[in-house]
Amino acid sequence: MKLISALTAGTLLAAGGVVAVAVPATSASGLTTRCDGTATGVTIPGDLVVPPEGACVLTDVVVQGSTRVAPGADLVAEGSTFGNAVLVAEDSYFEVNGSEVDGRVTSRQGWGVALFDSSATSVVVRMVDGSAVDSRTTLEASTVDGQVDVRTGELELTSSSVSGPVRAIGTVFADVVDSTIGQSLDVVDNAEGGVFCESEVYGPATYTGNGVLLQIGADGPVEPCDMASFWGSDVTISDNMAEVFVDQNIVAGSLSGTGNDPAPTVGDANRVRGSLGGQFAAGGEAGATIAPQALEASIARTAASEPSSADLTVESVTQRSETTAARLAERSAKAEAAAVEAGPIDL
């Protein structure tokens, strides 16, 4: 039996001539539904649990309580609503398409959290000490009312809007493309750096301690963005061990930074309304630090450089978005196949 729906004590479920008794489980609402299979067009009045290594696929489902995806499990939902918090355990996967999460999505070294054309109150990703799971967080065409705070794995924001702050601290990389951030942005100690282009951030932004490559603005070796980025406050880029490219940005505050090695490559298409400081202060004129031909030479030099300590070349970095998308699609397909095999759920 793939589901226990604890609606009332002593509820009888008839299936194939076998009568089973569903025993109430303990939860905040007093009701817990165990999902290992598929369900369509139903309302779950209490909490939802996907058991360890289970697979649950929901279509047009309303979960009124909280949701927990146990270790190694998968939950894929389309056109659904989650009325409370979602907890994603280690090595589990949570994917929503055209759905709403009226609560915080918390991942504890989950394999992945993916929001496609969906919304959530906030997204928080934390590491588990000793875990060997590679984690990834993807938001595409989605909105988050509060914060996105990621402390492990990969972070990709594409065509999305985050009303609160975005933090990527101690992660692998943080890419922000065609997106809006309503408050601050912190990209700190990312092994592979990150990309920010065709996007807007309205609070202060900090890039520090990052490796391999940072492309901040439209003109760089990773993401072919056509439009400038807007920064509503100060931008600080300091103490990075990455190749840093800064071009085609409109900065309402100041642009500054020190301790970057190598020194940043800065194009002449930046417009900085505040002051230029540190390694960005050459000549003291906004948008006049390095000529375009110097930018092109630096890009060519980086592309031909030896792999970093992370065994990454710029060429491999350009493929990471496609690689992540392929991995998500593969995990989702496996989850759907397992759920279909488990069969429909009767509530």
Side-chain angles (χ1 to χ4, degrees):
M1 190 172 191
K2 298 300 182 181
L3 171 77
I4 297 176
S5 179
L7 301 179
T8 58
T11 298
L12 298 181
L13 301 177
V18 177
V19 177
V21 177
V23 181
T26 301
S27 70
S29 63
L31 306 171
T32 298
T33 296
R34 180 180 182 272
C35 178
D36 190 8
T38 63
T40 302
V42 297
T43 295
I44 298 172
D47 296 345
L48 176 70
V49 173
V50 185
E53 306 299 329
C56 178
V57 173
L58 306 177
T59 304
D60 299 328
V61 169
V62 175
V63 181
Q64 295 182 341
S66 61
T67 299
R68 182 175 185 271
V69 190
D74 299 310
L75 173 55
V76 177
E78 183 173 356
S80 297
T81 299
F82 298 83
N84 214 315
V86 175
L87 176 61
V88 183
E90 185 177 3
D91 197 31
S92 62
Y93 181 48
F94 177 68
E95 176 187 310
V96 287
N97 300 267
S99 299
E100 298 179 11
V101 181
D102 297 327
R104 183 170 76 177
V105 179
T106 301
S107 171
R108 296 176 180 169
Q109 203 76 48
W111 186 91
V113 170
L115 276 63
F116 300 109
D117 191 24
S118 296
S119 63
T121 300
S122 61
V123 177
V124 175
V125 180
R126 292 290 182 266
M127 67 180 298
V128 172
D129 290 341
S131 176
V133 174
D134 295 327
S135 184
R136 49 204 54 79
T137 305
T138 298
L139 276 69
E140 183 176 313
S142 294
T143 60
V144 175
D145 292 336
Q147 66 174 339
V148 173
D149 191 325
V150 179
R151 305 298 175 104
T152 185
E154 309 166 355
L155 172 61
E156 290 186 333
L157 299 181
T158 306
S159 303
S160 294
S161 176
V162 179
S163 297
V166 172
R167 304 181 188 92
I169 300 176
T171 59
V172 178
F173 64 80
D175 292 346
V176 180
V177 179
D178 186 31
S179 294
T180 300
I181 299 170
Q183 297 184 25
S184 59
L185 170 65
D186 294 292
V187 180
V188 179
D189 296 337
N190 285 259
E192 298 177 16
V195 172
F196 188 100
C197 67
E198 290 187 357
S199 296
E200 305 168 21
V201 55
Y202 287 89
T206 301
Y207 284 82
T208 185
N210 300 288
V212 184
L213 183 75
L214 290 174
Q215 178 183 319
I216 301 173
D219 199 352
V222 177
E223 188 73 24
C225 296
D226 298 324
M227 299 175 62
S229 290
F230 175 77
W231 308 78
S233 186
D234 296 339
V235 179
T236 304
I237 305 169
S238 293
D239 299 321
N240 296 287
M241 292 71 71
E243 289 273 358
V244 180
F245 299 89
V246 181
D247 197 23
Q248 298 187 38
N249 296 282
I250 300 171
V251 182
S254 298
L255 173 62
S256 64
T258 60
N260 297 291
D261 187 11
T265 298
V266 185
D268 67 347
N270 296 297
R271 297 294 177 263
V272 181
R273 296 173 183 170
S275 63
L276 293 168
Q279 291 173 303
F280 298 90
E285 296 287 338
T289 51
I290 294 182
Q293 55 265 35
L295 179 67
E296 293 171 3
S298 182
I299 291 174
R301 182 177 65 253
T302 304
S305 64
E306 293 296 322
S308 70
S309 59
D311 293 327
L312 285 171
T313 61
V314 170
E315 182 178 3
S316 67
V317 172
T318 63
Q319 304 300 317
R320 64 191 179 196
S321 180
E322 295 177 3
T323 299
T324 298
R327 288 174 178 170
L328 294 177
E330 181 180 7
R331 179 90 179 216
S332 182
K334 287 182 178 179
E336 292 188 17
V340 169
E341 183 179 358
I345 296 170
D346 293 325
L347 290 178

